[in-house]
C-alpha cells in the first residue's frame, strides 16, 4: 500500500540501523511516547537491532492503559442503566474495572457495542430515538477531533439521546510529569506522530528547552521509528536539544487548525487522573458548558466513589520509564492478556501485552 | 485505537453542511466512508491519514520522499564537510 509498505522496507531499515550503530558512542535512554510505536518496535524486533548502548523505555502513550479505574467504573455504571446502548472502541472492553469489565457486562446482557468511529454512534442514536446512546470518548489528542465532531453532528441534527463519557488524556503534560520526576533517566523523546498531526509541534519547544531534552516527532512504521531514533541520537551525541520532525509527510508545525478548532469548540482542558501515575494537572479534555447536555457524566448524574488501583500492578513505574514489563513479578504469571491485572496487559498497544505477545522481546528484556 | 492509516480518496460527497463532507477512501482496496471536514483542501486521488473515521491530514508527497533520501543526503553533507 502506498505510503505504508515503503516504510517497512527491510533494506532501508538496515541502512538506518547501520547508521545508528555507527554514530552511537555513549549510552542513551530514549522514550517513545505512543503505544502504537511500542507495539511496532517490539513486533518488528527493532529493540534487538539497536546498539546495546541505546535503551528504549516505553511511555504512557496508550489511552487504554492510562484510563483510570474510576472511569472504567463510570463506563460500567452507564452501560448498566436501563434503555442504554453503550458504545466503545473495542480495546476498552477488556480493561478491568473494580468489579468487572465491559465485556462481562455485555455477556450478562447489557447492550454494549464495539464501534470503529464515534460518528457511527450518532447514526445509532438517530435510528434508536427511544434509547440513550453513550459513546466512551477515550483517546489522546488524535481521537479528540472525531469525538468532538460526533457531538457537533448530534447537536446540529438535534439528536437529544446522544452523550459521551469524555476521558481524554493529553500528551505534553504527561511528558512534563515524567521529566520532572527525580528518578527519570530519559535522554530524549520520540513524540507521537499522530498526536502532532492534530496539535502540531509548538507545545514541545518549551519542554525541550526547559528539560534540555531532544524531542523528535516520529511516525509508526519501522523506517519511521529508526529514522526518529537516529535523529534523536544525532542530537544527543552533539549535545543538542531541539524539536525535530521525522513525520513531516503528515505533521505540520502548526498541526491541523480545523481539528484544533473542533476540539476547542466542544472540550475544555481539565485535570485528569492517569492510571498508575495519578492526577496530572491540565492533562485531559472534558465536555464544555456549551455542549453540556452531551456530557454523560451530567446527564446520568454519575456519583461514584473513587476506586483504588490494584497495588500489585506496577504499570505506573513502567509508563514513567522506570521499569520494564518483565520486572513486574506478575508478568506472565498472575497477569496475562487473558486475565490482565493492569491495563498495559489488556491492549495490544500496552507495553506489557506487546512484550507478552512477541517472544523476540524476551531477549531484550533478559 | 490510536491507529491512523493512509488511504486514497476515490470519491467525494459534498453536502450542504461543512461538517458532513464525506468521501470514499480506499485502503489498499478496502473502501470505507470517511469524514473529510478536517481536510477541506483534499481532492480525489489525494492520500489522507484516517483515524477513527475522520481524515486528519493529507500526505505531503515531497516530505515523504525525503525519508527515503535522508541517509543519502546525510552522506553527501558529510562528504562536503570532509572535503
Ligand atoms: S505485567 Fe500486569 S500487573 Fe505487571 S505491570 Fe504489567 S499489567 Fe501491571
Amino acid at each position: 500500500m502506498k505510503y505504508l509498505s515503503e516504510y517497512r522496507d527491510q533494506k532501508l531499515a538496515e541502512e538506518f540501523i547501520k547508521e545508528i550503530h555507527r554514530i552511537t558512542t555513549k549510552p542513551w535512554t530514549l522514550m517513545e511516547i505512543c503505544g502504537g510505536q511500542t507495539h511496532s518496535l517490539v513486533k518488528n524486533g527493532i529493540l534487538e537491532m539497536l546498539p546495546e548502548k541505546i535503551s528504549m523505555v516505553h511511555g504512557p502513550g496508550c489511552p487504554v492503559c492510562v484510563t483510570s479505574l474510576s472511569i472504567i467504573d463510570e463506563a460500567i455504571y452507564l452501560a448498566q442503566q436501563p434503555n442504554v446502548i453503550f458504545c466503545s472502541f473495542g480495546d476498552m472492553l477488556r480493561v478491568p474495572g473494580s468489579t468487572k469489565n465491559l465485556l462481562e457486562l455485555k455477556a450478562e446482557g447489557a447492550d454494549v457495542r464495539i464501534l470503529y468511529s464515534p460518528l457511527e454512534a450518532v447514526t445509532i442514536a438517530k435510528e434508536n430515538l427511544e434509547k440513550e446512546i453513550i459513546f466512551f470518548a477515550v483517546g489522546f489528542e488524535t481521537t479528540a477531533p472525531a469525538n468532538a465532531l460526533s457531538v457537533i453532528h448530534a447537536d446540529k441534527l438535534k439528536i437529544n439521546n446522544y452523550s459521551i463519557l469524555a476521558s481524554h488524556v493529553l500528551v505534553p503534560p504527561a511528558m512534563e510529569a515524567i521529566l520532572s520526576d527525580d528518578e527519570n533517566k530519559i535522554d530524549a523523546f520520540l513524540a507521537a506522530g499522530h498526536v502532532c498531526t492534530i496539535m502540531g509541534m509548538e507545545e514541545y519547544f518549551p519542554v525541550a528547552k526547559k528539560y534540555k531534552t531532544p524531542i523528535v516527532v516520529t511516525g509508526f512504521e519501522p523506517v519511521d521509528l529508526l529514522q526518529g531514533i537516529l535523529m534523536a541520537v544525532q542530537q544527543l551525541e552533539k549535545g543538542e536539544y531541539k524539536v525535530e520532525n521525522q513525520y513531516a509527510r503528515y505533521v505540520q508545525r502548526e498541526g491541523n487548525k480545523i481539528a484544533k478548532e473542533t476540539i476547542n469548540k466542544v472540550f475544555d482542558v481539565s485535570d485528569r487522573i492517569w492510571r498508575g501515575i495519578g492526577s496530572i494537572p491540565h492533562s485531559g479534555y472534558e465536555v464544555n458548558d456549551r455542549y453540556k447536555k452531551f456530557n454523560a457524566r451530567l446527564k446520568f448524574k454519575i456519583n461514584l466513589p473513587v476506586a483504588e488501583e490494584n497495588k500489585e500492578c506496577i504499570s505506573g513505574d513502567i509508563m514513567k520509564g522506570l521499569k520494564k514489563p518483565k520486572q513486574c513479578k506478575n508478568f506472565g504469571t498472575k497477569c496475562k492478556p487473558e486475565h490482565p491485572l493492569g491495563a498495559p496487559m489488556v491492549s495490544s498497544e500496552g507495553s506489557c501485552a506487546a512484550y507478552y505477545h512477541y517472544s523476540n522481546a524476551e531477549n531484550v528484556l533478559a | 485505537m490510536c491507529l491512523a492509516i493512509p488511504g486514497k480518496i476515490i470519491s467525494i460527497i459534498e453536502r450542504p453542511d461543512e461538517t458532513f463532507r464525506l468521501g470514499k477512501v480506499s485502503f489498499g482496496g478496502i473502501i470505507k466512508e470517511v469524514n473529510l471536514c478536517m481536510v477541506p483542501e483534499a481532492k480525489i486521488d489525494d492520500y489522507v491519514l484516517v483515524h477513527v473515521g475522520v481524515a486528519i491530514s493529507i500526505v505531503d508527497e515531497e516530505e515523504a520522499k525525503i525519508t527515503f533520501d535522508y541517509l543519502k543526503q546525510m552522506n553527501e553533507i558529510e562528504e562536503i564537510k570532509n572535503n
Side-chain angles (χ1 to χ4, degrees), chain A residues 1-4 6-7 12 15-16 19 22 34 63-64 89 91-92 116-119 138-140 142-143 145-146 149 152-153 156-157 194 197-198 223 227 230-231 234 246-251 256 258-259 262 349, chain B residues 1-7 17-20 22 26-29 32-35 37-41 47-61 63-68 70-71 74-75 78 81:
Chain A
M1 226 190 298
K2 207 172 170 204
Y3 299 117
L4 212 52
E6 310 95 304
Y7 298 91
L12 189 57
E15 282 176 40
F16 274 108
E19 186 62 15
R22 191 182 71 77
C34 171
V64 179
F89 296 123
D91 28 13
M92 294 310 292
Y116 160 68
S117 166
L119 302 175
V138 295
F140 281 111
T142 324
T143 319
L149 200 59
I152 296 170
H153 266 270
K156 281 206 170 136
L157 297 171
H194 292 156
T197 304
I198 306 292
V223 169
Q227 188 181 10
L230 175 60
M231 290 165 83
Q234 280 168 339
Q246 182 277 327
Y247 209 38
R249 66 186 184 279
Y250 291 123
V251 174
N256 182 326
I258 299 177
T262 308
E349 289 167 12
Chain B
M1 172 210 308
C2 307
L3 205 70
I5 50 171
D17 184 323
E18 78 282 4
T19 62
F20 285 83
L22 298 174
S26 167
F27 301 94
K32 280 199 162 230
E33 193 165 276
V34 167
N35 189 304
C37 74
M38 313 236 169
V39 286
E41 15 11 309
Y47 278 79
V48 283
L49 187 67
V50 177
H51 175 65
V52 300
V54 178
I56 53 175
S57 180
I58 307 173
V59 74
D60 183 327
E61 309 229 359
E63 289 290 351
K65 283 184 202 128
I66 292 176
T67 297
F68 303 116
Y70 180 78
L71 287 175
M74 265 185 22
N75 290 338
E78 284 300 312
K81 268 200 227 152

Side-chain angles (χ1 to χ4, degrees), chain A residues 312-315 318 325 328 330-332 335 341-345 352:
Chain A
E312 283 189 67
C313 174
I314 59 157
S315 65
I318 291 177
C328 171
N330 300 309
F331 179 89
C335 182
L341 275 188
M345 191 57 101
C352 297

Side-chain angles (χ1 to χ4, degrees), chain A residues 20-64:
Chain A
I20 295 169
H21 276 267
R22 191 182 71 77
I23 66 160
T24 307
T25 66
K26 297 190 198 82
W28 304 113
T29 301
L30 275 58
M31 175 181 269
E32 85 280 358
I33 294 286
C34 171
Q37 295 170 329
T38 307
H39 187 92
S40 183
L41 283 172
V42 177
K43 179 179 157 202
N44 294 298
I46 292 174
L47 299 179
E48 287 176 310
M49 298 182 238
L50 293 175
E52 258 172 46
K53 288 200 169 91
I54 294 183
S55 169
M56 298 297 299
V57 290
H58 317 302
C62 161
V64 179

Side-chain angles (χ1 to χ4, degrees), chain A residues 85 113 115 119-133 157 159-162:
Chain A
I85 302 176
R113 298 190 193 177
L115 303 186
L119 302 175
E120 294 168 352
V122 181
T123 310
I124 296 176
K126 208 161 55 175
E127 290 163 357
N128 294 275
L129 290 174
E130 71 298 347
K131 299 250 184 180
E132 279 294 332
I133 317 306
L157 297 171
I159 289 175
N160 293 321
N161 59 329
Y162 178 66

Side-chain angles (χ1 to χ4, degrees), chain A residues 284-355:
Chain A
Y285 286 135
E286 186 57 88
V287 180
N288 66 17
D289 256 7
R290 152 94 171 76
Y291 288 98
K292 65 172 181 248
K293 67 176 183 188
F294 297 97
N295 183 344
R297 282 195 181 90
L298 301 176
K299 193 170 191 177
F300 294 87
K301 303 194 175 54
I302 307 183
N303 187 10
L304 297 173
V306 177
E308 280 265 333
E309 304 281 350
N310 188 329
K311 294 216 168 51
E312 283 189 67
C313 174
I314 59 157
S315 65
D317 283 349
I318 291 177
M319 289 184 292
K320 283 188 249 170
L322 303 176
K323 291 219 168 95
K324 297 243 183 164
K326 256 207 161 169
Q327 288 171 288
C328 171
K329 67 178 187 339
N330 300 309
F331 179 89
T333 53
K334 262 166 108 179
C335 182
K336 289 181 181 185
E338 306 87 75
H339 46 87
L341 275 188
M345 191 57 101
V346 172
S347 157
S348 61
E349 289 167 12
S351 40
C352 297
Y355 275 90

